[in-house]
Amino acid sequence: MYTRFVNIRRLVQFTTVANAGSITEAAKRLHIAQPALSHSLGELERDLGVKLFERHRRGVTLTDSGKVALEHAKTVLRQIEYLREAVVETEQNPSGSVSLALPASVAHVLSKPVGEAVLSELPLVSLSLDEGLTGDLARSLRSGRIDLMIHFDVEFDDEYLAEPLIREELFLFGRDIGGRGDISMADASNFPIFLPGPQHAMGRAIARFERENNRHFTRVPLEAGVHPMLALVEAGRGTAILPWSLIHDRVDKNGLTARRITSPSVSRTAFLVTLQSRLQTPAAKAVAEIVRNAVSMIHKQGLWRGELLV
């Protein structure tokens, strides 16, 4: 049984010779040496097990087998061209479903520009835009429930593809926090602070910061999620350490202010993450590009403060 594969490049050369009626002329059209083309045709004949051309002084003519091979070669090459056009069309007009998951602080500032851009620029893409805890999002990514997520300060290994987006600054946020300028970590630690637990990326980032600097913030003895914590801060029950992306529209309202923490500064890095093992569709790639552009835009607008890494 014949099992050898036919080289596509040789099919192109074969059809060119058949159309030209001459190996010499075909070699000129293909910009290759005549001996190399003759050798390639001989290899194709050996692959197919038939003689394709009758050679004579004026050039070449197709054998009966060559005529049959030419029709099939044209069909194969047309299908390859259709494949190329279909792939290009898919890249230019991506379609399908994409799931993007965001932590709460990121969703607050990124959901609107990403959602609007997908609706305007990717009409054939169905986007699922989810919000959740970073730990839950990581599990959803591994299970295949989501395609892309934004995550913070995780030690990524070969399992992930992680692209840094922004190293965001963190602020002390609350009432009666002594002004509007920067505040040192030593002074910030004097305020009672709502600090999230280790299931939150912010909780892990602050715990790591405390270990590295051998200093601890004063904790309010109550652990709450993002929105309950904001409600308690607004009620004057304590302060919080938060990124500007989450508080930009709350600062200077209802007596609330924010001070950037320095000496040393407190920051964390946001990554755009997917799995190494998952082939990204053109639709997912297009959504990822929209995320990058949106991050750059809101950073430029001052809605997400820190060092842009895109």
Side-chain angles (χ1 to χ4, degrees):
M1 181 178 177
Y2 179 75
T3 58
R4 294 188 65 180
F5 292 100
V6 175
N7 187 296
I8 298 300
R9 182 171 51 116
R10 287 176 183 158
L11 288 184
V12 174
Q13 295 169 342
F14 163 60
T15 57
T16 304
V17 172
N19 292 331
S22 165
I23 294 177
T24 301
E25 176 60 27
K28 293 178 182 178
R29 296 181 186 180
L30 294 168
H31 304 289
I32 61 176
Q34 181 177 334
L37 180 56
S38 295
H39 176 76
S40 182
L41 290 175
E43 288 294 310
L44 179 60
E45 288 178 324
R46 281 188 285 276
D47 285 344
L48 296 175
V50 296
K51 186 176 182 181
L52 298 173
F53 292 104
E54 294 288 354
R55 287 138 173 101
H56 47 77
R57 287 183 299 176
R58 289 176 295 177
V60 294
T61 56
L62 288 166
T63 63
D64 288 342
S65 295
K67 292 175 183 178
V68 173
L70 179 62
E71 292 305 311
H72 284 282
K74 288 179 178 179
T75 298
V76 169
L77 295 176
R78 276 197 300 269
Q79 291 299 320
I80 291 173
E81 181 62 20
Y82 293 154
L83 171 63
R84 186 193 68 80
E85 291 175 355
V87 170
V88 171
E89 178 68 17
T90 300
E91 291 286 346
Q92 294 176 347
N93 300 288
S95 61
S97 299
V98 179
S99 178
L100 170 66
L102 307 173
S105 64
V106 177
H108 185 68
V109 74
L110 203 58
S111 296
K112 180 180 177 181
V114 168
E116 289 181 339
V118 170
L119 289 172
S120 299
E121 301 171 22
L122 303 175
L124 301 180
V125 171
S126 175
L127 177 65
S128 174
L129 193 56
D130 298 320
E131 177 184 329
L133 299 177
T134 49
D136 295 338
L137 300 185
R139 286 189 289 273
S140 295
L141 182 68
R142 292 191 192 97
S143 69
R145 286 184 54 246
I146 61 176
D147 302 299
L148 300 162
M149 71 174 181
I150 289 182
H151 211 303
F152 290 98
D153 289 343
V154 175
E155 294 182 1
F156 297 104
D157 52 27
D158 292 341
E159 184 180 8
Y160 296 101
L161 283 173
E163 176 185 350
L165 297 173
I166 187 171
R167 183 176 297 110
E168 65 178 12
E169 300 168 334
L170 297 180
F171 294 75
L172 181 69
F173 175 67
R175 298 178 183 275
D176 304 321
I177 57 175
R180 301 174 185 274
D182 294 348
I183 185 171
S184 68
M185 180 182 177
D187 289 339
S189 64
N190 293 323
F191 292 91
I193 302 174
F194 288 102
L195 293 175
Q199 71 273 28
H200 297 269
M202 179 66 75
R204 293 191 296 272
I206 292 174
R208 185 182 65 252
F209 181 85
E210 289 177 315
R211 289 194 304 270
E212 291 174 351
N213 293 276
N214 195 28
R215 196 176 194 104
H216 297 278
F217 293 107
T218 302
R219 284 168 163 76
V220 175
L222 186 153
E223 185 178 308
V226 171
H227 293 99
M229 177 179 60
L230 285 171
L232 288 166
V233 171
E234 290 175 354
R237 305 299 296 185
T239 62
I241 297 176
L242 298 169
W244 191 258
S245 58
L246 185 60
I247 60 175
H248 68 89
D249 53 353
R250 291 179 168 90
V251 172
D252 295 332
K253 295 180 181 178
N254 301 317
L256 295 165
T257 56
R259 302 179 67 181
R260 186 178 60 157
I261 300 174
T262 59
S263 305
S265 62
V266 184
S267 64
R268 61 178 183 169
T269 301
F271 291 84
L272 179 62
V273 185
T274 186
L275 288 179
Q276 287 268 22
S277 58
R278 183 178 304 158
L279 179 64
Q280 289 298 295
T281 65
K285 292 178 182 178
V287 170
E289 183 62 18
I290 282 177
V291 170
R292 297 184 193 99
N293 293 336
V295 170
S296 297
M297 179 185 70
I298 61 178
H299 177 267
K300 184 177 182 180
Q301 293 171 344
L303 302 181
W304 200 354
R305 295 184 181 179
E307 180 186 357
L308 188 65
L309 303 174
V310 176

